[in-house]
C-alpha cells in the first residue's frame, strides 16, 4: 500500500499542472483583443473533444467489462498472466474502437 503514495502524488501534480495550463490558456482567450468568432469556434472544439473523450472512456470500459465477464464465465478466479493479458488487450481494443468511431468526426471538422 505504501507504493501507491508516490504514484498518487505524481498523478495529483500532473493534474494540477494540466489545470493551471488550461486556466492560463482560457484567461488569454478572454482578453479583449480576441475576436468573438474565435472564442466560439474554440468552445465548439472543446465540446467536441469532451464528447469524444466520453465516447473513448465508455467504449474502453465496456470492453473491460466484457473481458471481466468472460473471465468470470470461464471460471478464472485468480489474476494470472493470461487474465491480465485479456484485460489489457480488451482495454487496447476499446481504445482502437474509440479511435475508429471518433476518426470520421475529426475528418469532418
Amino acid at each position: 500500500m505504501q507504493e501507491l503514495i508516490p504514484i498518487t502524488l505524481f498523478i495529483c501534480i500532473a493534474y494540477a499542472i494540466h489545470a493551471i495550463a488550461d486556466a492560463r490558456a482560457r484567461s488569454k482567450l478572454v482578453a479583449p483583443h480576441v475576436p468573438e468568432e474565435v472564442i466560439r469556434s474554440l468552445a465548439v472544439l472543446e465540446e467536441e473533444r469532451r464528447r469524444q473523450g466520453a465516447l473513448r472512456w465508455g467504449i474502453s470500459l465496456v470492453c473491460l467489462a466484457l473481458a471481466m465477464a468472460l473471465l468470470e464465465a470461464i471460471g478464472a478466479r485468480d489474476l494470472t498472466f493470461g487474465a491480465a493479458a485479456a484485460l489489457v488487450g480488451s482495454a487496447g481494443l476499446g481504445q482502437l474502437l474509440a479511435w475508429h468511431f471518433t476518426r470520421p468526426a475529426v475528418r469532418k471538422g
Side-chain angles (χ1 to χ4, degrees), residues 3 26 37 44 48 59 66 70 79 96 109:
E3 61 272 358
R26 288 175 196 265
E37 181 180 309
V44 168
E48 185 66 26
I59 291 173
L66 291 174
L70 179 68
L79 182 62
L96 288 173

Side-chain angles (χ1 to χ4, degrees), residues 3-73:
E3 61 272 358
L4 292 179
I5 294 172
I7 295 170
T8 305
L9 180 64
F10 175 76
I11 291 171
C12 290
I13 291 172
Y15 182 75
I17 291 171
H18 178 69
I20 290 170
D22 277 351
R24 183 172 166 97
R26 288 175 196 265
S27 69
K28 290 204 182 258
L29 284 176
V30 184
H33 63 280
V34 177
E36 188 175 329
E37 181 180 309
V38 172
I39 295 173
R40 281 192 184 138
S41 66
L42 287 174
V44 168
L45 288 174
E46 178 70 21
E47 178 64 27
E48 185 66 26
R49 187 178 68 86
R50 285 184 184 174
R51 289 182 65 239
Q52 288 178 358
L55 176 65
R56 179 176 303 276
W57 274 102
I59 291 173
S60 296
L61 290 175
V62 166
C63 285
L64 279 172
L66 291 174
M68 288 181 187
L70 179 68
L71 289 172
E72 179 68 25

